[in-house]
């Protein structure tokens, strides 16, 4: 069971063309597509309406463009000065090494990819990272949190974050659905998703 931590609002970046095409992104720096911008605006409005989000909340974003574009909408909606948003390498997406730019179906069909979900937690692609690696850097980052935090990051590293807070086993971590156009409230050992597009303009 995860120990008590300040509330965290996790946002996965909006959609990219590579998401639509089913391509592995990892550290490849892809931008949002048109739908991704719509999703990011909807999430920004939802975050701005959150009851009880303290004025001194921490705002953290991955260095990659798709996450920074998404956070840009949140920053604008909350009228944050630029210095309120911290660019944090610890929440960068997992690196998928030689598999970046290739379709997920090709990876899943490859004999190098473990069949069992728990084995996938430890699998490290050539020149890339495992979920175990991502979990380690997320834990180090979490140890420094001292206030409620809004974080915009990515699917695989988001699984590590959610699993750590919710105390999920490794096999569940690698199969977590990671939604775009939503935000996830992580508090008290639970993870609750909210669809930001409901009622959006």
């Amino acid at each position: 069971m995860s120990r008590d931590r300040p509330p965290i609002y996790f946002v996965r970046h909006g959609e990219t063309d590579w998401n639509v095409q089913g391509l592995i992104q990892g550290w490849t720096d892809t931008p949002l597509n048109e739908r991704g911008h719509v999703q990011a605006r909807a999430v920004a409005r939802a975050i701005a309406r959150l009851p009880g989000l303290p004025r001194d909340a921490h705002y953290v974003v991955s260095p990659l463009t798709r996450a920074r574009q998404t956070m840009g909408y949140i920053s604008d909606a909350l009228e944050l000065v630029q210095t309120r948003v911290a660019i944090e390498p610890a929440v960068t997406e997992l690196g998928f090494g030689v598999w970046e730019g290739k379709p997920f179906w090709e990876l899943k069909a490859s004999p190098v990819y473990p069949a069992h979900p728990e084995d996938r937690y430890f699998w490290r692609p050539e020149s890339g990272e495992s979920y175990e690696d991502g979990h380690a850097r997320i834990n180090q980052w979490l140890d420094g949190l001292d206030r409620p935090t809004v974080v915009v990051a990515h699917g695989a590293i988001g699984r590590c974050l959610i699993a750590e807070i919710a105390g999920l086993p490794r096999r569940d971590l690698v199969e977590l659905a990671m939604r775009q156009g939503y935000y996830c409230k992580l508090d008290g050992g639970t993870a609750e998703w909210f669809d930001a597009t409901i009622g959006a303009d």
Side-chain angles (χ1 to χ4, degrees):
M1 181 66 68
S2 174
R3 68 175 183 270
D4 289 340
R5 301 184 188 274
I8 299 171
Y9 298 89
F10 167 77
V11 178
R12 185 186 178 195
H13 64 79
E15 185 182 87
T16 71
D17 285 343
W18 280 31
N19 289 142
V20 177
Q21 296 164 29
L23 302 179
I24 299 170
Q25 292 178 108
W27 293 337
T28 304
D29 202 12
T30 54
L32 300 181
N33 63 17
E34 184 176 350
R35 185 164 184 254
H37 285 284
V38 171
Q39 291 169 335
R41 282 193 292 267
V43 169
R45 288 192 292 267
I47 294 292
R49 293 194 297 264
L50 281 174
L53 187 64
R55 294 181 62 86
D56 68 343
H58 195 33
Y59 297 88
V60 175
V61 65
S62 157
L64 296 173
T65 297
R66 55 194 184 270
R68 293 177 68 176
Q69 287 177 316
T70 303
M71 178 59 91
Y73 288 106
I74 296 172
S75 179
D76 288 347
L78 292 169
E79 299 181 340
L80 300 177
V81 296
Q82 188 174 359
T83 54
R84 287 290 307 280
V85 179
I87 298 172
E88 177 52 70
V91 301
T92 305
E93 181 60 305
L94 296 188
F96 281 84
V98 298
W99 288 95
E100 292 187 13
K102 296 180 180 180
F104 276 103
W105 67 261
E106 185 176 328
L107 172 59
K108 291 175 181 177
S110 171
V112 306
Y113 191 63
H116 194 279
E118 186 154 349
D119 293 334
R120 294 177 203 153
Y121 177 84
F122 298 102
W123 177 73
R124 182 182 294 115
E126 182 183 343
S127 303
E129 296 178 294
S130 66
Y131 278 105
E132 184 181 31
D133 296 329
H135 211 150
R137 60 176 158 92
I138 276 294
N139 280 343
Q140 188 173 17
W141 173 70
L142 282 170
D143 285 344
L145 286 191
D146 60 357
R147 71 188 77 176
T149 299
V150 176
V151 56
V152 179
H154 308 268
I157 197 66
R159 291 186 182 102
C160 298
L161 173 61
I162 291 169
E164 175 61 24
I165 297 297
L168 300 179
R170 294 163 182 158
R171 64 161 295 120
D172 292 346
L173 179 157
V174 301
E175 296 186 327
L176 277 176
M178 298 302 293
R179 299 158 175 160
Q180 291 168 311
Y182 288 67
Y183 67 91
C184 182
K185 183 179 181 180
L186 302 166
D187 191 22
T190 64
E192 185 175 6
W193 287 93
F194 298 87
D195 185 350
T197 65
I198 294 177
D201 297 335

